[in-house]
């Protein structure tokens, strides 16, 4: 196996990032290495340092939905209006390039399966300039700003005012369906999303450091988040120091690579 530490250290030495942790597993062999520091000028990086998750959260949410299907609480072909009545009567823009007020009724209800396959009609295509997509941006906010979302019920009411870009089942669209899965999990289970995931996913898998917030006792292990050029965006006492108003699974919660 190549020198994993040396590979990571190269990125630190050229100033691309302050530190990194890497894990490689192949043919029963596992190598974990840490290089650099947890922040610019900060403590050394460690193999159990805590990082912010990004889109890897999406399959975790989907797995939780499938658990509820297995439990008999949900069915793949079931309309989501049972649990998300705000979306009981959605409308769709006449064509993807139509204005947001040029709409037709949805041809059928949105189903649980549509959410799992990201084909419910809500979300981002490759062309962000489409009018309906521009209308979605103020609602499906920047996922890196976890404090920028209102509570789930408020967010869902806002989404209900946005027309869908495609009819249910017609096209894959990124991001929004995973956020909707988070609301569905909470309402169908009768529990908060953090509590459900902790009990049914994280604890059974030994993901002891994965959650929607980092408690004070673990915050010295949370790495800082930088933009390109090492511009600090969020530190250990920032966005993840307490539970957000809307814990949502489309982008990001903390957890170290050794457990997450």
């Amino acid at each position: 196996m190549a020198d994993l530490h040396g590979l990571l250290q190269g990125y630190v030495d050229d100033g691309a990032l302050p530190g990194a942790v890497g894990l490689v597993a192949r043919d029963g062999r596992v190598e974990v290495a840490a290089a650099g520091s947890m922040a610019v000028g900060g403590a050394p990086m460690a193999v159990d340092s805590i990082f912010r998750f990004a889109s890897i959260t999406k399959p975790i949410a989907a797995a939780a939905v499938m658990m509820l299907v297995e439990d008999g609480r949900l069915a793949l072909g079931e309309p989501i209006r049972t649990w998300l009545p705000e979306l009981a009567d959605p409308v769709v823009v006449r064509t993807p390039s139509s204005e947001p007020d040029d709409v037709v009724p949805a041809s059928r209800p949105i189903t649980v399966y549509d959410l799992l396959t990201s084909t419910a009609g809500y979300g981002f295509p490759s062309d962000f300039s489409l009018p309906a997509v521009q209308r979605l941006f103020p609602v499906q906010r920047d996922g890196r700003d976890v404090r920028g979302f209102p509570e789930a019920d408020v967010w869902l009411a806002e989404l209900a005012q946005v027309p869908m870009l495609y009819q249910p089942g017609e096209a894959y669209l990124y991001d929004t369906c995973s956020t909707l899965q988070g609301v569905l999990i909470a309402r169908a289970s009768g529990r908060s999303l953090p509590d459900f995931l902790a009990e049914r996913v994280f604890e059974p898998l030994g993901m002891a450091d994965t959650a929607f917030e980092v408690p004070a006792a673990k915050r010295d292990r949370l790495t800082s988040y930088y933009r390109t050029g090492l511009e600090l965006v969020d530190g250990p006492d920032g966005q993840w120091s307490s539970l957000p108003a809307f814990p949502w699974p489309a982008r990001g919660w903390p957890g170290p690579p050794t457990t997450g």
Side-chain angles (χ1 to χ4, degrees):
M1 199 175 279
D3 178 13
L4 180 58
H5 179 273
L7 176 67
L8 299 176
Q9 189 64 45
Y11 290 101
V12 175
D13 292 342
D14 68 12
L17 40 80
V21 175
L23 184 150
V24 177
R26 183 176 183 183
D27 297 332
R29 297 177 59 198
V30 179
E31 181 179 354
V32 184
S37 58
M38 295 173 53
V40 173
M45 189 70 76
V47 295
D48 66 345
S49 294
I50 297 175
F51 291 80
R52 295 153 185 80
F53 276 180
S55 288
I56 193 64
T57 58
K58 293 178 172 65
I60 295 174
V65 172
M66 290 303 296
M67 288 178 173
L68 290 170
V69 172
E70 187 176 51
D71 292 346
R73 303 293 292 271
L74 296 172
L76 292 178
E78 180 180 12
I80 63 169
R81 63 189 177 201
T82 303
W83 304 105
L84 310 180
E86 295 93 336
L87 305 182
D89 299 300
V91 294
V92 187
V93 286
R94 191 174 301 276
T95 70
S97 59
S98 296
E99 293 297 323
D101 57 354
D102 182 12
V103 297
V104 296
S107 59
R108 63 167 176 81
I110 301 168
T111 65
V112 173
Y113 183 81
D114 293 328
L115 292 190
L116 283 170
T117 56
S118 292
T119 60
Y122 290 110
F124 297 112
S126 57
D127 185 356
F128 287 175
S129 68
L130 296 173
V133 178
Q134 291 294 310
R135 177 66 183 83
L136 177 63
F137 271 119
V139 177
Q140 189 66 36
R141 299 159 173 83
D142 187 340
R144 293 165 294 188
D145 180 15
V146 298
R147 300 287 169 184
F149 278 68
E151 294 181 353
D153 292 353
V154 175
W155 176 83
L156 192 55
E158 291 179 354
L159 182 67
Q161 303 303 311
V162 179
M164 299 194 303
L165 190 63
Y166 289 97
Q167 291 286 349
E170 279 191 353
Y172 171 88
L173 296 170
Y174 183 72
D175 206 38
T176 309
C177 284
S178 293
T179 311
L180 285 167
Q181 288 175 36
V183 184
L184 179 67
I185 293 163
R187 291 187 179 180
S189 68
R191 308 187 62 191
S192 72
L193 182 64
D195 287 347
F196 183 88
L197 292 179
E199 179 183 333
R200 298 294 300 274
V201 180
F202 301 145
E203 291 174 8
L205 293 177
M207 299 169 69
D209 294 318
T210 304
F212 285 91
E213 62 179 316
V214 182
K218 296 182 179 182
R219 223 165 286 157
D220 61 341
R221 293 166 48 208
L222 179 60
T223 58
S224 293
Y225 163 40
Y226 295 88
R227 290 193 181 96
T228 302
L230 297 184
E231 176 190 355
L232 180 64
V233 177
D234 190 45
D237 294 322
Q239 296 194 77
W240 296 105
S241 60
S242 60
L243 195 66
F246 182 8
W248 60 291
R251 179 143 341 147
W253 57 76
T258 50
T259 61

